[in-house]
Amino acid sequence: MQLYLPIAELSLNLFMLVGLGGAVGFLSGLFGVGGGFLLTPMLIFSGIPAPVAVASVTGQVVAASTSGALSYWRRGGIDLKLALFLIVSGVCGAFLGVWTFGQLRSAGQLDLVISLGYLIFLGSIGTLMLIEAVRSIIKHRQQGDSRPTKLPGKHNWVHGLPFRVRFKRSNLYVSIFPVILIGGGIGFLGSLLGIGGGFILVPALIYLLRVPGSIVIGTSLLQVLAIMAATTILHAVNSQTVDIVLAFTLMTGSVIGAQFGVSAGQYLRGDQLRALLALIVLAVAVRFALSLLLTPSDPFSVAVLSSVGGG
């Protein structure tokens, strides 16, 4: 059954789109990520223009994150004060990201920047996460017990920065500077690349701020929800690239998939989840590398960059 997408100006199989949304929603609930880092590339590889894929996926990320965040909220797994700092700084970053998005689109360089951005960020972060997760799994097997591996050192240099704030739910007393920097960076990347940013936010909260594992995923989902909601509105107003039909179809599957992901996450250890997420991230990075290196089947494209009125 073919579904016409008015903004993307093409037709795709309805069940394929719902299935993509469900699969990414499952990953969202399982790992505490928005899933945009996976869904945006898949839509681009399916033939949807990059600007439309980036802007429309933000709406799907909102739906997937809402479903997962509500599940963690009911379990008391969200630090609202920490999430508030991340959200405020993230919205500021989103404004800057949407402005950059428009400038790159006008210059005709948006597709290249999106591909390079995914390759660099996913490749580096996926590699670091995989190395850490493999080390953790090996250490766990050598120790021969089921206790979770403790993060090295309760405090690091981040905890020595000034203007510290206490986050009681996470049992933290840290400077607001790294919190604002992390939130702002996630908002900028999310609006520019169409990613929820959870795959960056979760490791940052764990390894830099030492947020407990029981709190980090729910807090991440709430931040992703707020930032992507703001980004969707900004894209709809500024670039008019949000395809409502595409976003709604993806939402339908993602809301259902997220609930199954949250349940499945209870049966895997943290190091196993990180290793699996790292492999998925690296697979997407490799696909982007191939798209940049291989000669495209159609080396020419035509796009309307601007309209000029004539007399």
Side-chain angles (χ1 to χ4, degrees), residues 165-305:
V165 176
R166 189 174 300 280
F167 301 98
K168 295 183 179 179
R169 187 69 184 87
S170 299
N171 194 26
L172 294 176
Y173 186 51
V174 297
S175 170
I176 62 173
F177 289 134
V179 178
I180 293 175
L181 184 61
I182 292 171
I186 296 299
F188 177 80
L189 291 176
S191 57
L192 181 61
L193 300 179
I195 57 179
F199 70 95
I200 303 175
L201 181 59
V202 170
L205 293 180
I206 292 176
Y207 299 114
L208 290 180
L209 303 184
R210 305 302 195 212
V211 177
S214 59
I215 301 296
V216 67
I217 293 182
T219 304
S220 168
L221 285 172
L222 181 59
Q223 193 264 2
V224 168
L225 163 63
I227 298 307
M228 288 297 99
T231 299
T232 301
I233 296 174
L234 290 173
H235 275 305
V237 172
N238 293 334
S239 61
Q240 294 85 42
T241 51
V242 178
D243 193 311
I244 299 299
V245 176
L246 174 61
F248 182 78
T249 305
L250 296 172
M251 287 179 189
T252 303
S254 66
V255 171
I256 300 174
Q259 297 300 316
F260 288 99
V262 170
S263 300
Q266 309 301 315
Y267 299 97
L268 293 174
R269 296 198 317 269
D271 52 6
Q272 294 174 332
L273 286 173
R274 294 195 299 273
L276 184 56
L277 178 59
L279 291 174
I280 296 175
V281 168
L282 286 175
V284 177
V286 169
R287 178 62 179 83
F288 267 106
L290 292 176
S291 68
L292 288 171
L293 294 175
L294 298 179
T295 303
S297 57
D298 184 5
F300 300 100
S301 62
V302 178
V304 178
L305 298 180

Side-chain angles (χ1 to χ4, degrees), residues 91-111:
V91 170
C92 295
F95 272 98
L96 179 59
V98 170
W99 178 83
T100 305
F101 182 96
Q103 295 299 311
L104 290 172
R105 188 185 181 200
S106 299
Q109 300 299 317
L110 183 59
D111 288 17

Side-chain angles (χ1 to χ4, degrees), residues 46-124:
S46 299
I48 294 178
V52 177
V54 169
S56 301
V57 162
T58 57
Q60 182 275 338
V61 172
V62 170
S65 300
T66 299
S67 181
L70 286 175
S71 297
Y72 282 98
W73 169 266
R74 289 193 292 265
R75 301 179 186 186
I78 296 179
D79 188 325
L80 289 179
K81 186 176 181 180
L82 176 59
L84 179 61
F85 276 88
L86 293 170
I87 289 170
V88 172
S89 58
V91 170
C92 295
F95 272 98
L96 179 59
V98 170
W99 178 83
T100 305
F101 182 96
Q103 295 299 311
L104 290 172
R105 188 185 181 200
S106 299
Q109 300 299 317
L110 183 59
D111 288 17
L112 176 61
V113 171
I114 289 175
S115 297
L116 286 175
Y118 270 103
L119 176 60
I120 295 172
F121 285 105
L122 296 186
S124 58

